[in-house]
Amino acid sequence: MSTQEVHRHITVLLNEAVAALNIRENGVYVDGTFGRGGHSKLILSKLGSQGRLVVFDKDPQAIAVANELAAQDKRVCVVHNGFATFQTALDELGIEKIDGALFDLGISSPQIDERARGFSFRFDAPLDMRMDTTRGQSAAEWLAVADEQQIHEVIKNYGEERFSRQIARAIVAQRETAPIDTTGKLAQLVAKNVFTRERGQDPATRTFQAVRIFINRELEEVKAVLPQAVQRLNTGGRLALIAFHSLEDRIVKQFMKQHSQHAPLPKWAAVREADLPQPPLALIGKAVKPSENEVQMNPRARSAVLRVAERTEGKFEG
């Protein structure tokens, strides 16, 4: 398949995210979610000849684009894997420390818009939903074997869907007579079991989000990579993450908050806060959201939140 863009992808918070990295000309950086390379290309434009950029992605199509970039620019190293393999991948590349890491946690427009990927309820297509189509269990395969309680918990916890139990029960009943193997079948089933509609939102939205997050272990990967990234950052290096829903953003926000401040001291403690060890992170600015102009140009950016922290000299115990 050609790696030329069939579906246009607009990089969210492009300038804000790259500026937040405070790039050092000959530094080493990581783009943990290459996508179609928007952030990576801007990072490279600010790096000198001795700079280095490591890019990660699960998606074979994204990796094909990344490999084309690497063939043109020897500063680029490509890792076809999820960013939870951060430490192992850097070890294999002989990289001990980095000067910044950026993670755009959203699903890319080509993934949503390509019918065959099975991410969207807007098309009737095979129910796949894997970021990496070369490995792992598809959504259809999981729904065929998961028990009702697990399906309910996934849809409730990852989709925050109030009708999760009814949807799970209907899935188990339906698969007794016919497999739920297309996006259309799942969307129709969900629509029949969501009894109040949110304005402007398809009733299948929360369920599709939940199943996608579960199949790709998205939240587990975020939790896994945060301590790995902090351990690898040089002093003054930046960690920047763009989240697109509250579940991801909560993980990022709580992690950065936890490691940028001291645990509260009891009132009787005879220790001044200034004498306590320095936290390993310092928060940089407030959370950044897209401008009204960006949202008008790219409605999929509307829920994005960028958070940034800088590595201090403080000891990290993650």
Side-chain angles (χ1 to χ4, degrees), residues 6 10 12 15 19 34 71 92 102 105 116 136 144 146 179 204 225 236 247 257 261 274 291 300 314:
V6 176
I10 304 174
V12 174
N15 294 306
F34 178 81
E92 291 175 352
L102 170 62
L105 303 176
V225 78
L247 299 174
K257 180 179 180 181
Q261 62 187 22
S291 65
R300 288 174 178 167

Side-chain angles (χ1 to χ4, degrees), residues 7 15-16 35 40 43 52 55 77 108 120 125-126 144 149 171 201 206 227 229 263-264 278 284 307:
H7 306 286
N15 294 306
E16 295 89 339
S40 285
I43 291 170
R52 199 169 180 187
V55 303
C77 300
S108 71
S120 178
Q149 182 63 22
I171 287 171
Q201 186 178 93
R206 292 179 178 275
Q278 186 180 23
I284 302 298
R307 297 185 187 275

Side-chain angles (χ1 to χ4, degrees), residues 159-181:
E160 299 176 298
E161 171 58 73
R162 59 187 295 199
F163 298 106
S164 57
R165 192 169 294 282
Q166 291 93 326
I167 294 167
R169 187 178 302 122
I171 287 171
V172 171
Q174 172 66 29
R175 73 189 187 194
E176 292 297 318
T177 57
I180 304 168
D181 54 6

Side-chain angles (χ1 to χ4, degrees), residues 101-121:
L102 170 62
F103 301 90
D104 178 344
L105 303 176
I107 184 171
S108 71
S109 294
Q111 289 171 328
I112 297 173
D113 293 337
E114 185 178 333
R115 183 187 302 266
R117 300 301 297 272
F119 283 108
S120 178
F121 44 77

Side-chain angles (χ1 to χ4, degrees), residues 11 20 25 29 40 48 74 109 119 140 178 232 238-239 296 305:
T11 305
E25 185 178 1
Y29 291 85
S40 285
K74 301 305 180 185
S109 294
F119 283 108
R232 293 286 180 153
R238 296 279 182 89
L239 174 62
Q296 287 178 355
V305 180

Side-chain angles (χ1 to χ4, degrees), residues 187-214:
Q188 290 172 18
L189 182 150
V190 172
K192 293 177 182 177
N193 290 276
V194 171
F195 304 113
T196 57
R197 306 295 174 91
E198 296 177 62
R199 187 175 180 180
Q201 186 178 93
D202 190 284
T205 299
R206 292 179 178 275
T207 295
F208 270 65
Q209 171 187 296
V211 175
R212 189 203 80 220
I213 289 172
F214 174 78

Side-chain angles (χ1 to χ4, degrees), residues 207-264:
T207 295
F208 270 65
Q209 171 187 296
V211 175
R212 189 203 80 220
I213 289 172
F214 174 78
I215 290 296
N216 295 289
R217 302 187 70 253
E218 293 177 34
L219 301 187
E220 290 85 353
E221 287 220 325
V222 175
K223 291 176 183 177
V225 78
L226 289 169
Q228 295 182 52
V230 174
Q231 288 168 348
R232 293 286 180 153
L233 281 172
N234 280 316
T235 299
R238 296 279 182 89
L239 174 62
L241 296 101
I242 303 171
F244 285 81
H245 56 74
S246 60
L247 299 174
E248 290 173 337
D249 187 50
R250 191 178 304 132
I251 293 169
V252 175
K253 181 179 180 179
Q254 290 177 349
F255 178 89
M256 288 185 171
K257 180 179 180 181
Q258 176 187 350
H259 294 288
S260 62
Q261 62 187 22
H262 303 292

